[in-house]
Amino acid sequence: EDKVVQSPLSLVVHEGDTVTLNCSYEVTNFRSLLWYKQEKKAPTFLFMLTSSGIEKKSGRLSSILDKKELFSILNITATQTGDSAIYLCAGTYGNKLVFGAGTILRVKS
Amino acid sequence: DVKVTQSSRYLVKRTGEKVFLECVQDMDHENMFWYRQDPGLGLRLIYFSYDVKMKEKGDIPEGYSVSREKKERFSLILESASTNQTSMYLCASSFRRNTEAFFGQGTRLTVV
């Protein structure tokens, strides 16, 4: 069964902190890993990772994939209250896109 | 910009009713998906379609069916709505396999 597991399920930090969100996945037919941010409604795309060890970066957010250990991390540095959201990771398995349960991040001012 | 449009933002239906949720994408994407999102459970895949008239069951297809008669439109059907189908329903599309998906704004369905 294709499975994606995220941890922690929720997290509260203060502005300026650095956070690391984790995502592990099952390997059968896995092709790529995606990260999304969901604030109020539709998830918005952040990163897609297909190769191991290559960091993708966008401003204060960065992500990397480890295909040997079957996990990915999403780092957010110098967090701001606007980073408060649900962060979702998903694995692509052929035509399927399988999501984890998400990490709820709350950044306090 | 890719646009995925769901026909309703909020719906209230009675138990036993047949419910149609419609989703349209405007970017000629091959793949379309229906998910439901519940607190603590994340997005769970109900059905997906990789071509017109093609469909595959996701992880929780029971109580649902789908229709894809045209490439741009993917409909989710609740044959006989039940209270445990109260949820947020999200439609998504992707250009082809192993590419990012784009989401509609969601339909919050309440079954009373």
Side-chain angles (χ1 to χ4, degrees), chain B residues 4 9 12 14-16 30 32 34 41 53 59-60 92 98 102 108 112:
Chain B
V4 180
R9 293 283 295 274
V12 180
R14 294 195 180 277
T15 301
E30 290 180 0
M32 296 189 76
W34 275 106
L41 297 176
K53 296 192 188 295
D59 299 318
I60 51 164
N98 305 317
F102 298 87
R108 184 162 293 282
V112 297

Side-chain angles (χ1 to χ4, degrees), chain B residues 45-99:
Chain B
L45 183 63
I46 305 171
Y47 268 97
F48 67 101
S49 168
Y50 51 90
D51 202 351
V52 175
K53 296 192 188 295
M54 305 301 288
K55 60 187 179 186
E56 282 198 32
K57 293 179 180 179
D59 299 318
I60 51 164
E62 296 80 18
Y64 303 94
S65 62
V66 290
S67 172
R68 195 167 180 201
E69 296 296 317
K70 293 185 178 181
K71 192 172 186 179
E72 67 270 19
R73 187 179 295 271
F74 192 37
S75 304
L76 180 70
I77 304 152
L78 286 66
E79 297 290 343
S80 177
S82 63
T83 54
N84 63 12
Q85 292 178 310
T86 291
S87 188
M88 170 68 84
Y89 289 86
L90 289 162
C91 173
S93 71
S94 66
F95 178 54
R96 58 176 187 272
R97 59 196 301 163
N98 305 317
T99 60

Side-chain angles (χ1 to χ4, degrees), chain B residues 98-111:
Chain B
N98 305 317
T99 60
E100 69 268 31
F102 298 87
F103 283 84
Q105 77 277 25
T107 297
R108 184 162 293 282
L109 173 67
T110 302
V111 182

Side-chain angles (χ1 to χ4, degrees), chain A residues 7 22 25 29 32 35-36 44 55 60 64 71-72 89 105:
Chain A
S7 64
N22 304 294
Y25 61 92
N29 296 321
S32 59
W35 284 98
Y36 287 82
T44 53
E55 185 183 54
R60 296 176 293 102
I64 197 160
F71 77 92
S72 174
C89 76
L105 174 65

